[in-house]
Amino acid sequence: MTSSAANGGTALDRFWTGDYYNEGVGGKDSIFDKLKEECGVFGVFGHPDAANLSYYGLHALQHRGEESCGICTADEESFHYHRGMGLVKEVFDRDKLEALTGNQAIGHVRYSTAGASKLANAQPLVFKYRGGDLAVCTNGNLVNEPGIRKELEDSGSIFQTTSDTEVIAHLIARSPKDLVQAVKEAFARLIGGFAFLIQTQGRLIAACDPHGLRPLVMGKLGDAYIFASESCALETIGAVYVRDVQPGELLVLDQDGLHEDRFAPMVRRAVCAMEYIYFARPDSDIYGVNLHSSRKRMGQQLAQESFVDADIVTGVPDSSISAAIGYAEQTGIPYELGLIKNKYTGRTFIQPSQELREKGVKMKLSAVRKVVEGKRVVMIDDSIVRGTTSLRIVNMLREAGALEVHVRITSPPFMNPCYYGIDTPNPADLIASSKTVEEIRQAINADSLYFLSDTGLIDSIGGHDEEFNRGLCMACFNNDYPTPVEFEEAKTTSCGCD
Amino acid sequence: MTSSAANGGTALDRFWTGDYYNEGVGGKDSIFDKLKEECGVFGVFGHPDAANLSYYGLHALQHRGEESCGICTADEESFHYHRGMGLVKEVFDRDKLEALTGNQAIGHVRYSTAGASKLANAQPLVFKYRGGDLAVCTNGNLVNEPGIRKELEDSGSIFQTTSDTEVIAHLIARSPKDLVQAVKEAFARLIGGFAFLIQTQGRLIAACDPHGLRPLVMGKLGDAYIFASESCALETIGAVYVRDVQPGELLVLDQDGLHEDRFAPMVRRAVCAMEYIYFARPDSDIYGVNLHSSRKRMGQQLAQESFVDADIVTGVPDSSISAAIGYAEQTGIPYELGLIKNKYTGRTFIQPSQELREKGVKMKLSAVRKVVEGKRVVMIDDSIVRGTTSLRIVNMLREAGALEVHVRITSPPFMNPCYYGIDTPNPADLIASSKTVEEIRQAINADSLYFLSDTGLIDSIGGHDEEFNRGLCMACFNNDYPTPVEFEEAKTTSCGCD
Amino acid sequence: MTSSAANGGTALDRFWTGDYYNEGVGGKDSIFDKLKEECGVFGVFGHPDAANLSYYGLHALQHRGEESCGICTADEESFHYHRGMGLVKEVFDRDKLEALTGNQAIGHVRYSTAGASKLANAQPLVFKYRGGDLAVCTNGNLVNEPGIRKELEDSGSIFQTTSDTEVIAHLIARSPKDLVQAVKEAFARLIGGFAFLIQTQGRLIAACDPHGLRPLVMGKLGDAYIFASESCALETIGAVYVRDVQPGELLVLDQDGLHEDRFAPMVRRAVCAMEYIYFARPDSDIYGVNLHSSRKRMGQQLAQESFVDADIVTGVPDSSISAAIGYAEQTGIPYELGLIKNKYTGRTFIQPSQELREKGVKMKLSAVRKVVEGKRVVMIDDSIVRGTTSLRIVNMLREAGALEVHVRITSPPFMNPCYYGIDTPNPADLIASSKTVEEIRQAINADSLYFLSDTGLIDSIGGHDEEFNRGLCMACFNNDYPTPVEFEEAKTTSCGCD
Amino acid sequence: MTSSAANGGTALDRFWTGDYYNEGVGGKDSIFDKLKEECGVFGVFGHPDAANLSYYGLHALQHRGEESCGICTADEESFHYHRGMGLVKEVFDRDKLEALTGNQAIGHVRYSTAGASKLANAQPLVFKYRGGDLAVCTNGNLVNEPGIRKELEDSGSIFQTTSDTEVIAHLIARSPKDLVQAVKEAFARLIGGFAFLIQTQGRLIAACDPHGLRPLVMGKLGDAYIFASESCALETIGAVYVRDVQPGELLVLDQDGLHEDRFAPMVRRAVCAMEYIYFARPDSDIYGVNLHSSRKRMGQQLAQESFVDADIVTGVPDSSISAAIGYAEQTGIPYELGLIKNKYTGRTFIQPSQELREKGVKMKLSAVRKVVEGKRVVMIDDSIVRGTTSLRIVNMLREAGALEVHVRITSPPFMNPCYYGIDTPNPADLIASSKTVEEIRQAINADSLYFLSDTGLIDSIGGHDEEFNRGLCMACFNNDYPTPVEFEEAKTTSCGCD
């Protein structure tokens, strides 16, 4: 394992950048083995190019999961599916796509620890049950999955994966009722944050947890219906956004068209704030709010809450560029490219040895000496998890000649674990759970440090819409979990995809 | 699809030679899509090199299945497994083997139609159930699998593969009893021909169907126990043969050593005659009978039953070489290399186009002109299934200048489907089911044709041991099936591995 | 071939994005077959980790050539080298790097049309000659290469590649003088723009053409010397920038250290302006000028020369982001993420079919509807070559709801072919060679269009330093070539790397 | 390196079996690094399917070289070629073959130490010279290559490979005369054993050394001409054998058809005896003598020269099966399958560790216990080089229960190095160079040992044809080299292909 991994660093910023491929190599002792993160889902119903559209749709969602992916189509005769380890562009080729015939499809991109032996966990999972063929894929995490799994095992179920998805399939298959009713009853038992796509021959079902923790949008491409974790995937295939799937909703597509149903009453919506801060692509909209724009507002808000006199503003790429530009616009301090990321890193990139790194060989991120030398720098980042990556970047800027480094974070201190699909380290490793802001500032060697306020974050995302503001899950900042989380065997740090 | 496949040919002789890789490319319309054949199993209990030994053991059994393979080990903490499409040497490398820690293992090689999407079917299958981890692999076919599967589905089971193996796992998991008892009860419900290996942490179970249709031997390597479909795998790893697992036996290995048990009473043994005639490696022994020797006796017996005056004897490689030498020895007609096979063909070999083949580009088999020109040739083969391959080879010999071609077959006419794990075409496609020997002779363009008699075959295999002779399944020749086969949904032409 | 390729588009912007992998598949009829572009070189002398440093250095230069790469080291016994098709991270693994022992190395990344058969052209090229082992790699193009090649062929030379590099090796080998003298005499014959690295056991030679058309910098890492096409590669490995290799210089490293020599007198420096505008990484400096900063100034200058009232400024990613921010800063119009690029495209990505593209499936670039809808947009790009890509992007913005699209280009009209290593289409295909600005505006469907002035470009790059300003090659804009280019067989559109 | 390699073993028998892939992994310290062996060439002139025919032809010659291969075609516009590391079926796929257009082709299969960096050595080598495109491939070795190479280097030539082939190309290119004349003059300077194919657009030239040491046959397929190292490749593509290319002949094909010429006078023919004993495929004929038949006669002759009372005869597979059958026929002792080889080994097969091998895990060769137990065994092999492999096989038979092992070798003692393309160890490592037959018998632990006599070998190959008998090179047995071999820098142990 590289020492980068050992040191920790913001787990979050690695999501975006594909480091897991390398860090996962550390093997089962790696602290990253426990990290399991976001995934992405995509579905098509009623289009002859279902597999190809899924390919491009999943490609647009690739940032949500780089480890494995899969597509399952259905034609009149049977299911066709292919899953593999790697990026969408690596797992599929023309031949494989051509074999995926049919006008309906669901697909998945997934994060997790590497290892071919985990191929079994790649989604969509495909089952045969009394009702025929069944394919399921999910993004999110079920808090009460361990209890349901145990109950199922006690009554004789066998499991081939460790995924929440297989639990759902068992629940559906065990019900003697018709598919939709079985799904509704199964979902009614689930506690957590999730977006599901379920496919049988001739039917596609989409559903969101009762709080809407994980995003899922519906679009149309001609007469075909499209579902995707983020709206950018609709744009990519030329589909028109229709609406976000609502909390507790169950949308069923069959030969008669769309049936709008729900498996749970509408309750308090609680969309994951981290999707806005970090996860989703800047060109996506969640509940009508564009991500780039909301991040830019976070930067502007930060400037209002914590102006600092400096020469340049820079953002930690890629996720904090929008916010940095916002901070710059608001303050009039010029935005500059003080940090740059090498876009060619990825799974097969050989990380520098500890020895070479100590001698100065850079990971994929570098400070741009000519830009920062002799400058007072405002460095915008989205979050601080363990603090070690922040320390490394601050030091990098100083070594490149920065006179001062003022760190501004576009989120409040990250203090509590996520139970809804974002992998987080042990609470003890969350620097903000045990240190004051001043202590963190010292730990990351910054000249000043400021975290965006809760209300500042809310306003940046949703403006002053009271209704909307109450619609965010900020439990990782404020400990206010929208669901019960205290189960004896609650899964605390994993995504149910794995 | 190549026309070779379209023409049919002895399905059997392609088993040996790996053609399916290419012919399978024909896709789902290919007649070969329905062909599913033999597999091989291998197990180790009590040896620190369990994974490596499995690698060499499976490599020795590679001829029983070239499509996919897998190994699952168990150490004190968990299972470790890897499965993949391709040959043993392609699927595993040093890193993958090193990751398979533990002193017990089961492994599998498998035939079937190609296609990465079928990776899910690669064995061993690995499950979690109430009792912990469970790995299962099998060689053979369950005649009553469809009924059991339906019953399981009706009570809520889900299936991720089409394999008999998963059915067994469900039966085991559904029983509230302890593992051994659960396995015994599950096996008592099965009708068919099969050899099973089942693994949990700390236990390995081996079992054969009540008729011993599929071979399974036990050996020892120091204190460790070894199981293998054929004895050649014992020899390869330096293990000592102990005995064949008996029909209906259930052997359990745990920390206390070997427990000899059975799940069914001893009934009439009925070992697959085709293992002797064709499938097994010539250096293997089944029930104490060496395969090379028995095949050589088949050739000698053929010579006694049907001598023909000729200049040379040649065998269709590789399976009929032993018999051809026996025929030559018995008659004094010299054995010559009249046919030669290119050993480099395999999955990635590009078959010649129909056009090139018509122009004379050879498939992997060629006649040796210098050897056969101007000669009267006795050509020994092991079986005739559809007759098209025989016709092609006879013509090849004639084109190379053979004056006469006399075909001698080391088995009786193949007339009935196998229900126990050997894939066979539709009975209508079995040339012997509708044609007389004379009609077949004309169809394959031979000067004379003779099939070994039933008693000649029995004597060649087991000598004149009455007991032994009754111990063969020759249903494909004589329609005398050792089990009931008339189920409404009986699987008639597939191996349960898939 | 995708129609994207057929339509042309700015060849330049495809440099950055790796599209050639896909478009090259069109085969020999593709117009892209003739495109040959920039390359990058890297060298180490005197460091025990020479191969590893080269790996990271070439990785930092990856944007200069994605098709193939190679590293050649020398230890006391012999050369060791490895070359392959693909990205640095794909071609090398730990085993391959470990086999490259020695404390000196030269390496190369290269663009060109795809095709494994062109592996022979991957550099460094390695030769044996009377003096022993010789490795050579180059970036740039020799205008008079055809003449020299013909002369060499006429006197009996054979060529295994089409590369300028091999020509140089022949010239060196044919000289009876010692290596340095032979190299100097060889170089004195060359006309063109090039940066060369030459290695023998115990010596490394670096040289730039007499006009300094292609960049090459020298750095130090401890006592070791480093050479690289761009300074970003020094930063990546923690080396200190020492200076740019000067036009006509020949730097020789051996056991006695650095010997500063030259093969040509200092003449008018003429650094490729396109390096500043487009090619080099924004964190690199060329002759002390940072690329990001100079691009930002281009944007500011554009704003001064051609302000337009608008709602947002957006840049075509990735190369025009810096300029767009400059334009925004200067005008006060907010910079927004109006266009986004999918970072996961690459060699194995399947381009959408023409049919799917017509239906709206996006290439890797998308407009962000939420950002541009209802807005008057200033779109900043670096150049217009054929005009087709510009048209596509403008239309993309309009379809996403932009009310107006004002295109501002950070370079003057591109009208003349490059003879120094940048691949350019036939002059007839350069839209600016035959159309007025107004005609181009219509052709790309823009509301307004403005190209940066020559003096504006010069000022943006070098400020008002008269000396520096005369130091740029702007022949593609103003037809003022620093060398003779009118040879009977002059190579006009290729990089000498191929 | 595996200990198998360390132990040595007959280098020759590894030729056949592809072990080099694994043993070569040992790296540069491996004794196998110096081993370079036979190659195979194939050419087509005048057939629209030239590339496909070459694919099948090279596939038939695969046993002559498993390391790398290549095909170069020519159409009216240009050459097209592809070369790669690995088997023919691995290096080529349909796309690659389709790109090789044209109605003429030459191809090559090559042995040598592994390593991707040696890809540069894969043949055919392709050059540009004053006359246009030139492709060359060869089988054999030039004794005086070092001197010619030095002379060329001294006059300024550069070399990118270590192959004799490149030397030839230089000689041709340096001559101002027309191609055929240049080739003839070049060849007149060569001393050694070789078969060459040379291609330009519109011409194909085939030539054999003045002694015919390396085989080369000509055939016709319709109007097209075919050349191949062995006649089996003609048979494979349906071509008709015309004749062997004669010693010193130079056959030129162009639009006017075949021109029969020679570059050297007919001298004493000296065909490599090892081709008959071991190298060539049993279904090939060399100068009209079938290999299987001649090997069978060697076995018969051995029986006459050295009968031993025994229970079974067995051959070391694959090369000694024919001889063993001959021995059995002659003596009446039954031929049995006492040794079996696993046909699935190959490049990616993981050799057992020394530890596992000591514990009994077999390499690819096993003794068949049931066959040899309690038997007196005659074991036929083709040669003994170092003796270590023979020892291992004898011990294997004894461990499997053989009562006696009598070794009979189908060649005289191998005592002298080959200078004509067969790699041989240092003379000091040739066991027969320093030990008597009795000492060798003890060293290999045999009960008796006999080597075929010189005259016995000659008679077995050519019968009693005086003319023919004088036509063999048996220098490795009798030190009678047909060419001078005492050059200061003579290459003694390599094939000029590398």
Side-chain angles (χ1 to χ4, degrees), chain C residues 216-239:
Chain C
L216 185 63
V217 296
M218 180 170 74
K220 290 202 73 173
L221 180 63
D223 292 333
Y225 286 84
I226 311 292
F227 292 93
S229 287
E230 294 184 28
S231 65
C232 65
L234 300 180
E235 186 68 26
T236 289
I237 62 161

Side-chain angles (χ1 to χ4, degrees), chain B residues 301-340:
Chain B
Q301 179 70 24
L302 262 180
Q304 288 171 336
E305 295 187 12
S306 178
F307 173 80
V308 59
D309 195 22
D311 301 308
I312 66 168
V313 178
T314 196
V316 178
D318 295 337
S319 59
S320 301
I321 302 298
S322 294
I325 289 169
Y327 194 98
E329 267 188 33
Q330 186 70 26
T331 56
I333 303 170
Y335 168 83
E336 299 290 352
L337 189 78
L339 293 164
I340 191 163

Side-chain angles (χ1 to χ4, degrees), chain B residues 67-82:
Chain B
E67 194 208 42
S68 70
C69 58
I71 297 173
C72 177
T73 62
D75 60 19
E76 289 173 14
E77 288 180 20
S78 68
F79 272 19
H80 307 280
Y81 61 98
H82 180 63

Side-chain angles (χ1 to χ4, degrees), chain D residues 144-155:
Chain D
N144 63 336
E145 184 267 352
I148 300 176
R149 180 179 286 256
K150 184 170 187 314
E151 172 194 318
L152 285 164
E153 283 184 358
D154 286 347
S155 63

Side-chain angles (χ1 to χ4, degrees), chain A residues 214-232:
Chain A
R214 292 286 141 237
L216 185 63
V217 297
M218 181 170 75
K220 290 202 75 173
L221 180 63
D223 292 333
Y225 284 85
I226 312 290
F227 292 93
S229 288
E230 294 184 29
S231 65
C232 65

